[in-house]
Amino acid sequence: MKRTIYFITLLCFASGFLACDKGFDRENTDPINIISSSPDKLLAPALVNVLTGNMTRNRNFNNELMQVTVTQSEDDFTVFRYNFRPNIADYTWNIWYPELTNFRDIYEIASKPEYNNDSYKGISLVCEAWVFSLLTDTYGDVPFKEANQGKFGLVEPAFDSQKEIYTALLAKLEEANTLLTVNKAIDVTSDPVYKGDIMLWRKFCNSLHLRLLLRLSGKQEVASKMIAKIKEMVDTNPSKYPVFSSNAESAVLKWNGTTTTTDPYTNPYAISLRENDFTIPSMCNFFILKLDDWKDPRIDIGAVYGANARNRLGIAPGSGGFIGIDSGYEPGSKELRQAYFYSFGNSEFSLQKSALTGIIMTYAELQFILAEAAAKGWISGSAETFYYTGIASAINYWVPNFNANIQDPVFTNYITNAGIGWDNSLPLDASTGDSKMERIHIQKYYSLFLTDFQQWFEHRRTGHPILPKGAGLKNGGKMPARMNYPVYVQSANPTNYSKAVASMGGDDMNTLVWWQKP
């Protein structure tokens, strides 16, 4: 009976989420009645659905943990106080697994003689590695080898260790890089990210590969292997492993910039959130005060970088200007809401309708990956140059008329006035105070704005940026190390759930995932 319930549940999740693909072909929205499909019909809806889930939980989970916003509440169960209800874990699990079925189906179908398309196969592997990395970094050990096998009657999949999963994901990215070198044409309309440019998919593949290698680089048992691979990709054989070379090559699904609810490429915030609801969270002081102190172009409301007294991040000043409220405040000491996000009716740059929020991975993030690798002596090249290029690229992404490279006076003046220059005299790392890692990761934090859970993942990996601790924090003031498994998995897949919990050492927010352990 449990097996039947679990199977029906999965089908309902898949059907429900895919049925939201307005504007896509009908054969792609009813997984129960599909007789056949083709790779070009599966890719775009899967990307849209994953990004919709990522943006939703970025807003109400990552941003609250990582002090971007504070959704004020007197409830003890608040994310910004490090105390969330177990059912918050259900949403991303139920978004990601159905779409992984689609990504795996793309590979299977593209392998058939009637299609025989290495590019779709490579793209499917890249997307699979991307989404499974989100799953395992969020939960730890998860179903992998036996996942997405419901059509074969396997509805209680075994959980794989994070080490096994990462090993497989890195291998998939190697395979994808090889497949994408064939440069087989695909249907341009099926690809909302790169419009059929296979070389750009290959660059994303290898940039993502570096993200995952860096994530494991502090894990003692695999560190030397990960570091050697980073060096091979960056220094020894860069022609074999091309990566992003500009903002234009970032992996971003650009929305249409409208509020049309029937278009599948409308920003999900415009569809799922009312205007009043979009403005509810206050900006957090940690996020907004630095931008204000730096006189950062991203929140400039002047005519040079903004327009009509609006800035490019769509942030409205509060009564005190560009200030926020402190995260982790004690219940009963609620502060007046200050700066907040404009809704789409109040700013042409509102993130609620922005074309730029469908972020998978950016060129700026890659530059900070390289900055860290160079600062640690793993690769040649200048950590300072990578650092500055990351800052400039992160600003240019949101403020195209900033349009500065790192030699331009407009950029060098910004760095000097903001006091964020590279300092070789700093220690590499420190748990308190200034360091090279802290400088890199403060800027990386801003470059990862709106990028799923990457701010949280990187903070868990490095301890940076160093976040202030409010007096009202729960959980002993400790940043949650993971999400718990969805509650229903305990009853739907009890045997394998119990094995996973025993292997992980628990199932709560403080249970460390494999790469967090020494």
Side-chain angles (χ1 to χ4, degrees):
M1 180 65 176
K2 288 177 181 175
R3 293 169 63 91
T4 303
I5 292 171
Y6 189 56
F7 182 58
I8 291 172
T9 301
L10 288 178
L11 288 177
C12 287
F13 283 132
S15 178
F17 287 120
L18 288 174
C20 293
D21 297 328
K22 297 181 179 69
F24 292 117
D25 290 347
R26 175 64 185 170
E27 68 172 307
N28 216 31
T29 61
D30 187 357
I32 298 174
N33 294 317
I34 290 175
I35 297 174
S36 64
S37 190
S38 55
D40 58 292
K41 297 297 192 294
L42 295 173
L43 180 59
L47 289 167
V48 168
N49 283 338
V50 171
L51 283 166
T52 297
N54 291 357
M55 288 171 59
T56 299
R57 276 292 181 259
N58 171 271
R59 174 181 164 84
N60 58 28
F61 186 78
N62 176 89
N63 285 359
E64 299 283 301
L65 281 181
M66 291 303 298
Q67 301 194 18
V68 176
T69 57
V70 180
T71 300
Q72 293 170 286
S73 172
E74 300 306 296
D75 191 343
D76 274 346
F77 285 97
T78 50
V79 176
F80 73 83
R81 291 195 182 98
Y82 300 171
N83 193 29
F84 48 85
R85 289 182 170 83
N87 63 3
I88 201 170
D90 295 7
Y91 180 75
T92 42
W93 185 282
N94 296 332
I95 284 280
W96 290 333
Y97 268 115
E99 302 314 329
L100 281 164
T101 299
N102 285 327
F103 291 134
R104 286 183 162 182
D105 283 349
I106 290 171
Y107 187 95
E108 179 183 344
I109 296 166
S111 300
K112 293 180 178 180
E114 59 266 39
Y115 295 106
N116 190 27
N117 192 302
D118 283 349
S119 291
Y120 276 122
K121 289 164 66 177
I123 291 168
S124 74
L125 291 175
V126 174
C127 293
E128 185 183 350
W130 166 48
V131 179
F132 263 119
S133 71
L134 296 175
L135 267 163
T136 190
D137 288 347
T138 300
Y139 302 99
D141 299 355
V142 295
F144 178 70
K145 289 192 291 288
E146 293 185 358
N148 313 104
Q149 302 297 314
K151 62 185 177 183
F152 302 117
L154 180 56
V155 295
E156 292 186 28
F159 288 58
D160 297 273
S161 72
Q162 186 175 70
K163 180 180 179 180
E164 293 172 321
I165 294 167
Y166 256 93
T167 299
L169 298 185
L170 296 175
K172 286 178 183 291
L173 291 171
E174 287 281 2
E175 181 185 354
N177 183 48
T178 300
L179 289 167
L180 294 169
T181 61
V182 177
N183 201 29
K184 179 84 170 181
I186 65 171
D187 183 346
V188 172
T189 63
S190 73
D191 175 11
V193 176
Y194 287 127
K195 307 297 187 289
D197 190 324
I198 304 306
M199 175 53 84
L200 294 184
W201 274 105
R202 191 176 169 208
K203 289 186 174 187
F204 169 43
C205 170
N206 295 314
S207 300
L208 177 63
H209 198 161
L210 289 171
R211 175 198 277 178
L212 301 193
L213 291 168
L214 187 64
R215 191 140 298 152
L216 300 189
S217 64
K219 181 67 178 175
Q220 187 173 354
E221 66 184 279
V222 296
S224 60
K225 185 177 180 180
M226 299 301 110
I227 294 166
K229 187 64 183 181
I230 291 171
K231 183 171 182 61
E232 177 193 352
M233 293 179 65
V234 177
D235 284 349
T236 309
N237 209 347
S239 62
K240 181 180 177 181
Y241 297 102
V243 296
F244 298 147
S245 61
S246 69
N247 267 354
E249 296 180 346
S250 297
V252 178
L253 195 161
K254 291 189 176 178
W255 309 114
N256 60 25
T258 75
T259 59
T260 305
T261 59
T262 55
D263 189 319
Y265 297 124
T266 295
N267 186 322
Y269 291 150
I271 296 173
S272 63
L273 291 168
R274 294 175 300 181
E275 287 194 72
N276 285 344
D277 292 338
F278 191 75
T279 68
I280 287 174
S282 175
M283 303 310 300
C284 181
N285 273 328
F286 182 81
F287 180 87
I288 193 66
L289 288 182
K290 288 180 176 59
L291 294 176
D292 189 50
D293 289 345
W294 298 339
K295 302 296 185 287
D296 194 281
R298 285 166 286 197
I299 62 166
D300 180 74
I301 61 174
V304 177
Y305 301 125
N308 302 317
R310 300 290 189 266
N311 58 64
R312 296 285 179 156
L313 289 187
I315 297 174
S319 58
F322 284 113
I323 64 172
I325 61 175
D326 291 331
S327 185
Y329 65 84
E330 290 186 283
S333 59
K334 184 176 179 180
E335 301 177 41
L336 178 69
R337 185 185 72 154
Q338 290 289 340
Y340 61 93
F341 290 119
Y342 281 116
S343 66
F344 61 67
N346 291 301
S347 173
E348 63 187 287
F349 303 127
S350 169
L351 298 180
Q352 193 176 16
K353 68 174 182 180
S354 171
L356 301 177
T357 59
I359 301 170
I360 302 172
M361 184 176 183
T362 65
Y363 173 63
E365 179 188 347
L366 174 65
Q367 292 303 298
F368 291 118
I369 290 170
L370 298 175
E372 180 176 340
K376 291 179 174 178
W378 299 344
I379 61 172
S380 62
S382 165
E384 179 178 10
T385 299
F386 292 133
Y387 170 77
Y388 285 142
T389 304
I391 295 174
S393 300
I395 296 173
N396 287 336
Y397 181 84
W398 294 103
V399 190
N401 54 337
F402 184 65
N403 194 30
N405 63 49
I406 63 175
Q407 285 83 34
D408 286 345
V410 66
F411 179 77
T412 56
N413 289 340
Y414 163 75
I415 293 294
T416 300
N417 293 335
I420 55 175
W422 183 255
D423 185 350
N424 268 319
S425 69
L426 289 172
L428 174 63
D429 205 353
S431 59
T432 59
D434 206 357
S435 67
K436 292 174 184 174
M437 281 286 285
E438 177 69 2
R439 292 209 175 191
I440 288 169
H441 281 274
I442 285 176
Q443 297 303 326
K444 189 174 187 179
Y445 168 86
Y446 287 100
S447 80
L448 292 174
F449 178 59
L450 297 186
T451 310
D452 51 72
F453 292 163
Q454 295 304 315
Q455 289 177 331
W456 179 44
F457 295 160
E458 283 294 272
H459 182 78
R460 285 161 46 195
R461 180 179 71 86
T462 67
H464 298 287
I466 299 168
L467 299 172
K469 293 184 180 294
L473 287 178
K474 306 297 182 180
N475 197 40
K478 293 187 297 184
M479 172 66 72
R482 62 185 283 273
M483 281 187 184
N484 54 276
Y485 293 123
V487 176
Y488 71 84
V489 173
Q490 300 178 29
S491 58
N493 193 0
T495 300
N496 291 312
Y497 167 79
S498 296
K499 290 179 181 178
V501 172
S503 175
M504 288 274 294
D507 180 24
D508 60 45
M509 69 174 71
N510 295 316
T511 305
L512 299 180
V513 304
W514 170 71
W515 56 251
Q516 288 177 273
K517 298 173 183 177

